[in-house]
Amino acid sequence: EAELAHGRVGMLAAAGFLVQEKFHPLFNADGGPAIEQIPKLPPIMWPLIAIGIGACESYRISVGWSNPSEPNHVFQKLRPEYVPGDIGFDPLGLKPSDPEEFRTMQTKELQNGRLAMIAAFGFMIQEGVTGQTWGTALGRPDF
């Protein structure tokens, strides 16, 4: 469960590093290392981001974890019918109906998530060491 969630965040982060140099939907401080863009967010964005993350996590907890007021509750007990990583959100209908195909898709997602976490970490290290974005560090400022 945790690795799937962190892998999904890693995939978004890796894609974000590639896009953030030229486009940012939240504000107009495009360009420069991501660590320098975060403090440039408008002050209203901080509570909105916190509320958005909290809402997503609350929904995930309500879908996957058992009620702590149930008898014989064990800390962090998952519901018996819950499949890790599957909270029922599939607006494009990409989830396979066959359980074996779903398991294969989950394995691929784990593998891609692990790679994305390493890639995002590499982007962060590179920006921290050079103080430049990946495109600038590669000598491609027009990318």
Side-chain angles (χ1 to χ4, degrees), residues 94-131:
L94 299 175
K95 178 184 170 189
S97 56
D98 179 39
E100 187 59 38
E101 285 181 40
F102 179 69
R103 184 75 178 140
T104 301
M105 188 176 193
Q106 256 189 335
T107 301
K108 291 176 183 178
E109 186 178 16
L110 278 172
Q111 292 169 338
N112 288 322
R114 291 171 184 158
L115 179 62
M117 286 187 279
I118 293 169
F121 180 68
F123 283 131
M124 286 186 281
I125 295 297
Q126 177 269 316
E127 283 189 358
V129 170
T130 66

PDB file of all heavy atoms in Angstrom, residues 94-131:
ATOM      1  N   LEU A  94      -9.363   2.139 -16.988  1.00  0.00           N
ATOM      2  CA  LEU A  94      -8.142   1.418 -17.334  1.00  0.00           C
ATOM      3  C   LEU A  94      -7.904   0.179 -16.481  1.00  0.00           C
ATOM      4  O   LEU A  94      -7.078  -0.658 -16.824  1.00  0.00           O
ATOM      5  CB  LEU A  94      -6.933   2.354 -17.201  1.00  0.00           C
ATOM      6  CG  LEU A  94      -6.942   3.588 -18.104  1.00  0.00           C
ATOM      7  CD1 LEU A  94      -5.761   4.494 -17.777  1.00  0.00           C
ATOM      8  CD2 LEU A  94      -6.935   3.189 -19.557  1.00  0.00           C
ATOM      9  N   LYS A  95      -8.604   0.050 -15.375  1.00  0.00           N
ATOM     10  CA  LYS A  95      -8.405  -1.089 -14.472  1.00  0.00           C
ATOM     11  C   LYS A  95      -8.909  -2.368 -15.127  1.00  0.00           C
ATOM     12  O   LYS A  95     -10.063  -2.452 -15.542  1.00  0.00           O
ATOM     13  CB  LYS A  95      -9.141  -0.849 -13.156  1.00  0.00           C
ATOM     14  CG  LYS A  95      -9.017  -1.999 -12.194  1.00  0.00           C
ATOM     15  CD  LYS A  95      -9.854  -1.756 -10.952  1.00  0.00           C
ATOM     16  CE  LYS A  95      -9.926  -3.010 -10.120  1.00  0.00           C
ATOM     17  NZ  LYS A  95     -10.877  -2.884  -9.032  1.00  0.00           N
ATOM     18  N   PRO A  96      -8.052  -3.376 -15.241  1.00  0.00           N
ATOM     19  CA  PRO A  96      -8.494  -4.650 -15.821  1.00  0.00           C
ATOM     20  C   PRO A  96      -9.520  -5.336 -14.917  1.00  0.00           C
ATOM     21  O   PRO A  96      -9.441  -5.256 -13.696  1.00  0.00           O
ATOM     22  CB  PRO A  96      -7.215  -5.491 -15.901  1.00  0.00           C
ATOM     23  CG  PRO A  96      -6.088  -4.548 -15.686  1.00  0.00           C
ATOM     24  CD  PRO A  96      -6.623  -3.385 -14.935  1.00  0.00           C
ATOM     25  N   SER A  97     -10.471  -6.013 -15.532  1.00  0.00           N
ATOM     26  CA  SER A  97     -11.491  -6.722 -14.751  1.00  0.00           C
ATOM     27  C   SER A  97     -10.977  -8.076 -14.266  1.00  0.00           C
ATOM     28  O   SER A  97     -11.429  -8.583 -13.246  1.00  0.00           O
ATOM     29  CB  SER A  97     -12.765  -6.904 -15.571  1.00  0.00           C
ATOM     30  OG  SER A  97     -12.464  -7.575 -16.780  1.00  0.00           O
ATOM     31  N   ASP A  98     -10.019  -8.649 -14.978  1.00  0.00           N
ATOM     32  CA  ASP A  98      -9.442  -9.929 -14.587  1.00  0.00           C
ATOM     33  C   ASP A  98      -8.453  -9.711 -13.436  1.00  0.00           C
ATOM     34  O   ASP A  98      -7.539  -8.885 -13.556  1.00  0.00           O
ATOM     35  CB  ASP A  98      -8.725 -10.559 -15.787  1.00  0.00           C
ATOM     36  CG  ASP A  98      -8.072 -11.885 -15.455  1.00  0.00           C
ATOM     37  OD1 ASP A  98      -8.679 -12.668 -14.700  1.00  0.00           O
ATOM     38  OD2 ASP A  98      -6.943 -12.123 -15.932  1.00  0.00           O
ATOM     39  N   PRO A  99      -8.609 -10.432 -12.319  1.00  0.00           N
ATOM     40  CA  PRO A  99      -7.711 -10.234 -11.172  1.00  0.00           C
ATOM     41  C   PRO A  99      -6.238 -10.478 -11.506  1.00  0.00           C
ATOM     42  O   PRO A  99      -5.358  -9.797 -10.978  1.00  0.00           O
ATOM     43  CB  PRO A  99      -8.204 -11.234 -10.133  1.00  0.00           C
ATOM     44  CG  PRO A  99      -9.596 -11.572 -10.528  1.00  0.00           C
ATOM     45  CD  PRO A  99      -9.665 -11.389 -12.011  1.00  0.00           C
ATOM     46  N   GLU A 100      -5.952 -11.438 -12.371  1.00  0.00           N
ATOM     47  CA  GLU A 100      -4.560 -11.719 -12.734  1.00  0.00           C
ATOM     48  C   GLU A 100      -3.962 -10.573 -13.550  1.00  0.00           C
ATOM     49  O   GLU A 100      -2.818 -10.175 -13.344  1.00  0.00           O
ATOM     50  CB  GLU A 100      -4.470 -13.034 -13.509  1.00  0.00           C
ATOM     51  CG  GLU A 100      -3.053 -13.492 -13.770  1.00  0.00           C
ATOM     52  CD  GLU A 100      -2.248 -13.702 -12.493  1.00  0.00           C
ATOM     53  OE1 GLU A 100      -2.803 -14.190 -11.500  1.00  0.00           O
ATOM     54  OE2 GLU A 100      -1.033 -13.381 -12.507  1.00  0.00           O
ATOM     55  N   GLU A 101      -4.734 -10.028 -14.470  1.00  0.00           N
ATOM     56  CA  GLU A 101      -4.267  -8.871 -15.243  1.00  0.00           C
ATOM     57  C   GLU A 101      -4.078  -7.654 -14.335  1.00  0.00           C
ATOM     58  O   GLU A 101      -3.137  -6.881 -14.516  1.00  0.00           O
ATOM     59  CB  GLU A 101      -5.275  -8.526 -16.349  1.00  0.00           C
ATOM     60  CG  GLU A 101      -5.261  -9.473 -17.523  1.00  0.00           C
ATOM     61  CD  GLU A 101      -6.259  -9.045 -18.581  1.00  0.00           C
ATOM     62  OE1 GLU A 101      -6.378  -7.827 -18.838  1.00  0.00           O
ATOM     63  OE2 GLU A 101      -6.925  -9.924 -19.136  1.00  0.00           O
ATOM     64  N   PHE A 102      -4.983  -7.499 -13.346  1.00  0.00           N
ATOM     65  CA  PHE A 102      -4.853  -6.390 -12.400  1.00  0.00           C
ATOM     66  C   PHE A 102      -3.573  -6.533 -11.587  1.00  0.00           C
ATOM     67  O   PHE A 102      -2.856  -5.564 -11.366  1.00  0.00           O
ATOM     68  CB  PHE A 102      -6.074  -6.333 -11.473  1.00  0.00           C
ATOM     69  CG  PHE A 102      -6.000  -5.234 -10.462  1.00  0.00           C
ATOM     70  CD1 PHE A 102      -6.099  -3.912 -10.848  1.00  0.00           C
ATOM     71  CD2 PHE A 102      -5.825  -5.525  -9.118  1.00  0.00           C
ATOM     72  CE1 PHE A 102      -6.031  -2.886  -9.922  1.00  0.00           C
ATOM     73  CE2 PHE A 102      -5.750  -4.508  -8.183  1.00  0.00           C
ATOM     74  CZ  PHE A 102      -5.860  -3.187  -8.586  1.00  0.00           C
ATOM     75  N   ARG A 103      -3.265  -7.758 -11.176  1.00  0.00           N
ATOM     76  CA  ARG A 103      -2.038  -8.014 -10.404  1.00  0.00           C
ATOM     77  C   ARG A 103      -0.805  -7.707 -11.256  1.00  0.00           C
ATOM     78  O   ARG A 103       0.164  -7.110 -10.762  1.00  0.00           O
ATOM     79  CB  ARG A 103      -2.024  -9.475  -9.927  1.00  0.00           C
ATOM     80  CG  ARG A 103      -0.880  -9.818  -9.057  1.00  0.00           C
ATOM     81  CD  ARG A 103      -1.098  -9.235  -7.681  1.00  0.00           C
ATOM     82  NE  ARG A 103       0.017  -9.634  -6.852  1.00  0.00           N
ATOM     83  CZ  ARG A 103       0.596  -8.835  -5.977  1.00  0.00           C
ATOM     84  NH1 ARG A 103       0.152  -7.627  -5.795  1.00  0.00           N
ATOM     85  NH2 ARG A 103       1.593  -9.269  -5.263  1.00  0.00           N
ATOM     86  N   THR A 104      -0.835  -8.070 -12.529  1.00  0.00           N
ATOM     87  CA  THR A 104       0.266  -7.765 -13.433  1.00  0.00           C
ATOM     88  C   THR A 104       0.414  -6.257 -13.601  1.00  0.00           C
ATOM     89  O   THR A 104       1.526  -5.723 -13.573  1.00  0.00           O
ATOM     90  CB  THR A 104       0.040  -8.438 -14.808  1.00  0.00           C
ATOM     91  OG1 THR A 104      -0.073  -9.841 -14.617  1.00  0.00           O
ATOM     92  CG2 THR A 104       1.179  -8.148 -15.764  1.00  0.00           C
ATOM     93  N   MET A 105      -0.707  -5.561 -13.734  1.00  0.00           N
ATOM     94  CA  MET A 105      -0.676  -4.103 -13.876  1.00  0.00           C
ATOM     95  C   MET A 105      -0.121  -3.451 -12.605  1.00  0.00           C
ATOM     96  O   MET A 105       0.643  -2.491 -12.679  1.00  0.00           O
ATOM     97  CB  MET A 105      -2.071  -3.582 -14.180  1.00  0.00           C
ATOM     98  CG  MET A 105      -2.126  -2.127 -14.536  1.00  0.00           C
ATOM     99  SD  MET A 105      -3.823  -1.704 -14.971  1.00  0.00           S
ATOM    100  CE  MET A 105      -3.580  -0.132 -15.708  1.00  0.00           C
ATOM    101  N   GLN A 106      -0.492  -3.994 -11.436  1.00  0.00           N
ATOM    102  CA  GLN A 106       0.020  -3.461 -10.177  1.00  0.00           C
ATOM    103  C   GLN A 106       1.526  -3.664 -10.069  1.00  0.00           C
ATOM    104  O   GLN A 106       2.240  -2.787  -9.587  1.00  0.00           O
ATOM    105  CB  GLN A 106      -0.660  -4.143  -8.990  1.00  0.00           C
ATOM    106  CG  GLN A 106      -1.694  -3.304  -8.319  1.00  0.00           C
ATOM    107  CD  GLN A 106      -2.185  -3.927  -7.031  1.00  0.00           C
ATOM    108  OE1 GLN A 106      -2.125  -5.134  -6.826  1.00  0.00           O
ATOM    109  NE2 GLN A 106      -2.698  -3.081  -6.174  1.00  0.00           N
ATOM    110  N   THR A 107       2.012  -4.807 -10.530  1.00  0.00           N
ATOM    111  CA  THR A 107       3.455  -5.068 -10.500  1.00  0.00           C
ATOM    112  C   THR A 107       4.188  -4.073 -11.392  1.00  0.00           C
ATOM    113  O   THR A 107       5.227  -3.532 -11.009  1.00  0.00           O
ATOM    114  CB  THR A 107       3.750  -6.513 -10.950  1.00  0.00           C
ATOM    115  OG1 THR A 107       3.073  -7.410 -10.074  1.00  0.00           O
ATOM    116  CG2 THR A 107       5.235  -6.804 -10.945  1.00  0.00           C
ATOM    117  N   LYS A 108       3.648  -3.816 -12.575  1.00  0.00           N
ATOM    118  CA  LYS A 108       4.256  -2.827 -13.465  1.00  0.00           C
ATOM    119  C   LYS A 108       4.233  -1.445 -12.835  1.00  0.00           C
ATOM    120  O   LYS A 108       5.194  -0.684 -12.949  1.00  0.00           O
ATOM    121  CB  LYS A 108       3.518  -2.806 -14.811  1.00  0.00           C
ATOM    122  CG  LYS A 108       3.734  -4.053 -15.638  1.00  0.00           C
ATOM    123  CD  LYS A 108       2.910  -4.011 -16.908  1.00  0.00           C
ATOM    124  CE  LYS A 108       3.068  -5.284 -17.701  1.00  0.00           C
ATOM    125  NZ  LYS A 108       2.233  -5.288 -18.916  1.00  0.00           N
ATOM    126  N   GLU A 109       3.131  -1.123 -12.159  1.00  0.00           N
ATOM    127  CA  GLU A 109       3.029   0.176 -11.495  1.00  0.00           C
ATOM    128  C   GLU A 109       4.072   0.301 -10.382  1.00  0.00           C
ATOM    129  O   GLU A 109       4.695   1.350 -10.215  1.00  0.00           O
ATOM    130  CB  GLU A 109       1.625   0.366 -10.932  1.00  0.00           C
ATOM    131  CG  GLU A 109       1.395   1.743 -10.365  1.00  0.00           C
ATOM    132  CD  GLU A 109      -0.014   1.944  -9.840  1.00  0.00           C
ATOM    133  OE1 GLU A 109      -0.748   0.962  -9.627  1.00  0.00           O
ATOM    134  OE2 GLU A 109      -0.374   3.107  -9.629  1.00  0.00           O
ATOM    135  N   LEU A 110       4.278  -0.767  -9.622  1.00  0.00           N
ATOM    136  CA  LEU A 110       5.310  -0.757  -8.581  1.00  0.00           C
ATOM    137  C   LEU A 110       6.695  -0.541  -9.176  1.00  0.00           C
ATOM    138  O   LEU A 110       7.489   0.250  -8.670  1.00  0.00           O
ATOM    139  CB  LEU A 110       5.290  -2.065  -7.793  1.00  0.00           C
ATOM    140  CG  LEU A 110       4.274  -2.188  -6.679  1.00  0.00           C
ATOM    141  CD1 LEU A 110       4.246  -3.608  -6.134  1.00  0.00           C
ATOM    142  CD2 LEU A 110       4.575  -1.206  -5.573  1.00  0.00           C
ATOM    143  N   GLN A 111       6.989  -1.252 -10.257  1.00  0.00           N
ATOM    144  CA  GLN A 111       8.304  -1.126 -10.883  1.00  0.00           C
ATOM    145  C   GLN A 111       8.524   0.274 -11.446  1.00  0.00           C
ATOM    146  O   GLN A 111       9.585   0.869 -11.260  1.00  0.00           O
ATOM    147  CB  GLN A 111       8.469  -2.189 -11.975  1.00  0.00           C
ATOM    148  CG  GLN A 111       8.534  -3.585 -11.420  1.00  0.00           C
ATOM    149  CD  GLN A 111       8.429  -4.658 -12.482  1.00  0.00           C
ATOM    150  OE1 GLN A 111       7.916  -4.436 -13.568  1.00  0.00           O
ATOM    151  NE2 GLN A 111       8.908  -5.853 -12.160  1.00  0.00           N
ATOM    152  N   ASN A 112       7.525   0.812 -12.133  1.00  0.00           N
ATOM    153  CA  ASN A 112       7.647   2.176 -12.661  1.00  0.00           C
ATOM    154  C   ASN A 112       7.704   3.202 -11.537  1.00  0.00           C
ATOM    155  O   ASN A 112       8.410   4.205 -11.642  1.00  0.00           O
ATOM    156  CB  ASN A 112       6.490   2.478 -13.610  1.00  0.00           C
ATOM    157  CG  ASN A 112       6.610   1.731 -14.917  1.00  0.00           C
ATOM    158  OD1 ASN A 112       7.692   1.568 -15.447  1.00  0.00           O
ATOM    159  ND2 ASN A 112       5.490   1.260 -15.434  1.00  0.00           N
ATOM    160  N   GLY A 113       6.959   2.960 -10.461  1.00  0.00           N
ATOM    161  CA  GLY A 113       6.993   3.859  -9.317  1.00  0.00           C
ATOM    162  C   GLY A 113       8.358   3.884  -8.657  1.00  0.00           C
ATOM    163  O   GLY A 113       8.853   4.945  -8.258  1.00  0.00           O
ATOM    164  N   ARG A 114       8.993   2.719  -8.524  1.00  0.00           N
ATOM    165  CA  ARG A 114      10.338   2.662  -7.945  1.00  0.00           C
ATOM    166  C   ARG A 114      11.324   3.442  -8.810  1.00  0.00           C
ATOM    167  O   ARG A 114      12.145   4.205  -8.295  1.00  0.00           O
ATOM    168  CB  ARG A 114      10.796   1.206  -7.821  1.00  0.00           C
ATOM    169  CG  ARG A 114      10.047   0.420  -6.782  1.00  0.00           C
ATOM    170  CD  ARG A 114      10.366  -1.049  -6.845  1.00  0.00           C
ATOM    171  NE  ARG A 114       9.564  -1.791  -5.884  1.00  0.00           N
ATOM    172  CZ  ARG A 114       9.321  -3.081  -5.989  1.00  0.00           C
ATOM    173  NH1 ARG A 114       9.813  -3.788  -6.996  1.00  0.00           N
ATOM    174  NH2 ARG A 114       8.592  -3.686  -5.076  1.00  0.00           N
ATOM    175  N   LEU A 115      11.247   3.260 -10.101  1.00  0.00           N
ATOM    176  CA  LEU A 115      12.126   3.987 -11.017  1.00  0.00           C
ATOM    177  C   LEU A 115      11.872   5.486 -10.928  1.00  0.00           C
ATOM    178  O   LEU A 115      12.814   6.289 -10.905  1.00  0.00           O
ATOM    179  CB  LEU A 115      11.914   3.488 -12.448  1.00  0.00           C
ATOM    180  CG  LEU A 115      12.751   4.158 -13.534  1.00  0.00           C
ATOM    181  CD1 LEU A 115      14.235   3.919 -13.285  1.00  0.00           C
ATOM    182  CD2 LEU A 115      12.343   3.635 -14.898  1.00  0.00           C
ATOM    183  N   ALA A 116      10.604   5.879 -10.844  1.00  0.00           N
ATOM    184  CA  ALA A 116      10.263   7.301 -10.762  1.00  0.00           C
ATOM    185  C   ALA A 116      10.753   7.916  -9.459  1.00  0.00           C
ATOM    186  O   ALA A 116      11.199   9.072  -9.445  1.00  0.00           O
ATOM    187  CB  ALA A 116       8.753   7.481 -10.899  1.00  0.00           C
ATOM    188  N   MET A 117      10.684   7.165  -8.353  1.00  0.00           N
ATOM    189  CA  MET A 117      11.199   7.695  -7.084  1.00  0.00           C
ATOM    190  C   MET A 117      12.702   7.945  -7.181  1.00  0.00           C
ATOM    191  O   MET A 117      13.207   8.964  -6.696  1.00  0.00           O
ATOM    192  CB  MET A 117      10.882   6.741  -5.928  1.00  0.00           C
ATOM    193  CG  MET A 117       9.428   6.755  -5.518  1.00  0.00           C
ATOM    194  SD  MET A 117       9.072   5.783  -4.038  1.00  0.00           S
ATOM    195  CE  MET A 117       8.985   4.127  -4.696  1.00  0.00           C
ATOM    196  N   ILE A 118      13.420   7.035  -7.827  1.00  0.00           N
ATOM    197  CA  ILE A 118      14.867   7.219  -8.018  1.00  0.00           C
ATOM    198  C   ILE A 118      15.125   8.410  -8.939  1.00  0.00           C
ATOM    199  O   ILE A 118      16.020   9.215  -8.693  1.00  0.00           O
ATOM    200  CB  ILE A 118      15.502   5.926  -8.570  1.00  0.00           C
ATOM    201  CG1 ILE A 118      15.432   4.828  -7.497  1.00  0.00           C
ATOM    202  CG2 ILE A 118      16.943   6.161  -9.006  1.00  0.00           C
ATOM    203  CD1 ILE A 118      15.785   3.451  -8.011  1.00  0.00           C
ATOM    204  N   ALA A 119      14.330   8.539 -10.004  1.00  0.00           N
ATOM    205  CA  ALA A 119      14.501   9.658 -10.937  1.00  0.00           C
ATOM    206  C   ALA A 119      14.241  10.990 -10.250  1.00  0.00           C
ATOM    207  O   ALA A 119      15.017  11.946 -10.402  1.00  0.00           O
ATOM    208  CB  ALA A 119      13.563   9.492 -12.140  1.00  0.00           C
ATOM    209  N   ALA A 120      13.150  11.081  -9.472  1.00  0.00           N
ATOM    210  CA  ALA A 120      12.842  12.323  -8.765  1.00  0.00           C
ATOM    211  C   ALA A 120      13.946  12.658  -7.763  1.00  0.00           C
ATOM    212  O   ALA A 120      14.350  13.821  -7.634  1.00  0.00           O
ATOM    213  CB  ALA A 120      11.490  12.217  -8.061  1.00  0.00           C
ATOM    214  N   PHE A 121      14.462  11.655  -7.091  1.00  0.00           N
ATOM    215  CA  PHE A 121      15.574  11.870  -6.156  1.00  0.00           C
ATOM    216  C   PHE A 121      16.797  12.386  -6.911  1.00  0.00           C
ATOM    217  O   PHE A 121      17.476  13.304  -6.459  1.00  0.00           O
ATOM    218  CB  PHE A 121      15.898  10.568  -5.414  1.00  0.00           C
ATOM    219  CG  PHE A 121      17.017  10.692  -4.433  1.00  0.00           C
ATOM    220  CD1 PHE A 121      16.866  11.450  -3.289  1.00  0.00           C
ATOM    221  CD2 PHE A 121      18.218  10.051  -4.654  1.00  0.00           C
ATOM    222  CE1 PHE A 121      17.896  11.569  -2.369  1.00  0.00           C
ATOM    223  CE2 PHE A 121      19.259  10.164  -3.749  1.00  0.00           C
ATOM    224  CZ  PHE A 121      19.097  10.919  -2.597  1.00  0.00           C
ATOM    225  N   GLY A 122      17.062  11.813  -8.072  1.00  0.00           N
ATOM    226  CA  GLY A 122      18.177  12.281  -8.896  1.00  0.00           C
ATOM    227  C   GLY A 122      18.005  13.723  -9.336  1.00  0.00           C
ATOM    228  O   GLY A 122      18.955  14.508  -9.317  1.00  0.00           O
ATOM    229  N   PHE A 123      16.771  14.083  -9.725  1.00  0.00           N
ATOM    230  CA  PHE A 123      16.500  15.476 -10.099  1.00  0.00           C
ATOM    231  C   PHE A 123      16.757  16.412  -8.920  1.00  0.00           C
ATOM    232  O   PHE A 123      17.346  17.479  -9.074  1.00  0.00           O
ATOM    233  CB  PHE A 123      15.051  15.657 -10.569  1.00  0.00           C
ATOM    234  CG  PHE A 123      14.779  15.167 -11.971  1.00  0.00           C
ATOM    235  CD1 PHE A 123      13.699  14.342 -12.220  1.00  0.00           C
ATOM    236  CD2 PHE A 123      15.583  15.542 -13.030  1.00  0.00           C
ATOM    237  CE1 PHE A 123      13.429  13.901 -13.508  1.00  0.00           C
ATOM    238  CE2 PHE A 123      15.312  15.113 -14.325  1.00  0.00           C
ATOM    239  CZ  PHE A 123      14.235  14.282 -14.558  1.00  0.00           C
ATOM    240  N   MET A 124      16.296  16.005  -7.724  1.00  0.00           N
ATOM    241  CA  MET A 124      16.489  16.847  -6.544  1.00  0.00           C
ATOM    242  C   MET A 124      17.973  17.010  -6.210  1.00  0.00           C
ATOM    243  O   MET A 124      18.423  18.115  -5.905  1.00  0.00           O
ATOM    244  CB  MET A 124      15.744  16.265  -5.345  1.00  0.00           C
ATOM    245  CG  MET A 124      14.252  16.442  -5.424  1.00  0.00           C
ATOM    246  SD  MET A 124      13.397  15.921  -3.930  1.00  0.00           S
ATOM    247  CE  MET A 124      13.377  14.150  -4.149  1.00  0.00           C
ATOM    248  N   ILE A 125      18.718  15.929  -6.275  1.00  0.00           N
ATOM    249  CA  ILE A 125      20.151  15.993  -5.986  1.00  0.00           C
ATOM    250  C   ILE A 125      20.847  16.875  -7.012  1.00  0.00           C
ATOM    251  O   ILE A 125      21.660  17.732  -6.669  1.00  0.00           O
ATOM    252  CB  ILE A 125      20.771  14.577  -5.968  1.00  0.00           C
ATOM    253  CG1 ILE A 125      20.194  13.763  -4.815  1.00  0.00           C
ATOM    254  CG2 ILE A 125      22.279  14.628  -5.902  1.00  0.00           C
ATOM    255  CD1 ILE A 125      20.495  14.321  -3.439  1.00  0.00           C
ATOM    256  N   GLN A 126      20.532  16.678  -8.294  1.00  0.00           N
ATOM    257  CA  GLN A 126      21.164  17.464  -9.354  1.00  0.00           C
ATOM    258  C   GLN A 126      20.870  18.943  -9.181  1.00  0.00           C
ATOM    259  O   GLN A 126      21.752  19.781  -9.312  1.00  0.00           O
ATOM    260  CB  GLN A 126      20.689  16.951 -10.716  1.00  0.00           C
ATOM    261  CG  GLN A 126      21.216  17.713 -11.904  1.00  0.00           C
ATOM    262  CD  GLN A 126      20.296  18.859 -12.309  1.00  0.00           C
ATOM    263  OE1 GLN A 126      19.095  18.700 -12.364  1.00  0.00           O
ATOM    264  NE2 GLN A 126      20.871  20.008 -12.558  1.00  0.00           N
ATOM    265  N   GLU A 127      19.620  19.295  -8.874  1.00  0.00           N
ATOM    266  CA  GLU A 127      19.275  20.705  -8.677  1.00  0.00           C
ATOM    267  C   GLU A 127      19.961  21.265  -7.438  1.00  0.00           C
ATOM    268  O   GLU A 127      20.391  22.415  -7.427  1.00  0.00           O
ATOM    269  CB  GLU A 127      17.762  20.885  -8.556  1.00  0.00           C
ATOM    270  CG  GLU A 127      17.055  20.821  -9.881  1.00  0.00           C
ATOM    271  CD  GLU A 127      15.584  21.228  -9.784  1.00  0.00           C
ATOM    272  OE1 GLU A 127      15.103  21.520  -8.668  1.00  0.00           O
ATOM    273  OE2 GLU A 127      14.930  21.237 -10.826  1.00  0.00           O
ATOM    274  N   GLY A 128      20.044  20.457  -6.389  1.00  0.00           N
ATOM    275  CA  GLY A 128      20.692  20.923  -5.166  1.00  0.00           C
ATOM    276  C   GLY A 128      22.182  21.160  -5.344  1.00  0.00           C
ATOM    277  O   GLY A 128      22.732  22.123  -4.813  1.00  0.00           O
ATOM    278  N   VAL A 129      22.839  20.303  -6.117  1.00  0.00           N
ATOM    279  CA  VAL A 129      24.283  20.416  -6.316  1.00  0.00           C
ATOM    280  C   VAL A 129      24.625  21.532  -7.299  1.00  0.00           C
ATOM    281  O   VAL A 129      25.519  22.345  -7.055  1.00  0.00           O
ATOM    282  CB  VAL A 129      24.871  19.069  -6.805  1.00  0.00           C
ATOM    283  CG1 VAL A 129      26.304  19.212  -7.244  1.00  0.00           C
ATOM    284  CG2 VAL A 129      24.762  18.026  -5.696  1.00  0.00           C
ATOM    285  N   THR A 130      23.893  21.601  -8.415  1.00  0.00           N
ATOM    286  CA  THR A 130      24.237  22.572  -9.461  1.00  0.00           C
ATOM    287  C   THR A 130      23.493  23.889  -9.321  1.00  0.00           C
ATOM    288  O   THR A 130      23.930  24.899  -9.877  1.00  0.00           O
ATOM    289  CB  THR A 130      23.935  21.997 -10.862  1.00  0.00           C
ATOM    290  OG1 THR A 130      22.523  21.816 -11.003  1.00  0.00           O
ATOM    291  CG2 THR A 130      24.665  20.683 -11.094  1.00  0.00           C
ATOM    292  N   GLY A 131      22.341  23.882  -8.647  1.00  0.00           N
ATOM    293  CA  GLY A 131      21.525  25.087  -8.559  1.00  0.00           C
ATOM    294  C   GLY A 131      20.816  25.406  -9.864  1.00  0.00           C
ATOM    295  O   GLY A 131      20.310  26.509 -10.051  1.00  0.00           O
TER     296      GLY A 131
END
